[in-house]
Amino acid sequence: MNKTILHDIISTLVEYADELKSRPNLNEVERGELLGYAETLSVIRDACPVDERADIGLDFDVDERYLQCSTLLSIKQDSKVEKV
């Protein structure tokens, strides 16, 4: 695949993920979308040679940028089931 096309795809995914991450309160669907964008970026990043990641806009740690944010960490809190 052409690096320019791949860069454009990644830029769009990053834009969508950043927009979701910037929202203070995400519902479950939005959290799922953010997780999906992060997973997609991780798969692409892992498939690319290290020396080409900067060229396509993936020279950052996807997990640190999107999966460590408080928005997604709150999923764990919301999904806890209280035992009676």
Side-chain angles (χ1 to χ4, degrees):
M1 180 176 285
N2 182 321
K3 280 187 187 178
T4 303
I5 294 171
L6 190 55
H7 184 274
D8 291 346
I9 292 168
I10 291 165
S11 293
T12 301
L13 292 170
V14 167
E15 179 183 338
Y16 292 165
D18 285 344
E19 194 275 324
L20 282 170
K21 182 183 172 190
S22 71
R23 294 182 188 175
N25 297 309
L26 298 181
N27 62 39
E28 287 185 32
V29 172
E30 292 167 327
R31 288 184 212 152
E33 288 178 34
L34 182 55
L35 182 60
Y37 292 135
E39 289 299 321
T40 302
L41 290 168
S42 288
V43 167
I44 296 169
R45 186 177 189 277
D46 291 345
C48 291
V50 175
D51 60 330
E52 293 182 17
R53 291 177 182 169
D55 295 340
I56 59 170
L58 275 177
D59 54 339
F60 61 90
D61 185 330
V62 175
D63 290 348
E64 183 177 310
R65 184 167 177 167
Y66 298 115
L67 301 182
Q68 299 301 319
C69 68
S70 60
T71 303
L72 280 180
L73 291 176
S74 66
I75 291 173
K76 292 178 182 176
Q77 294 171 349
D78 291 347
S79 63
K80 286 183 181 175
V81 177
E82 192 174 313
K83 293 184 180 183
V84 184

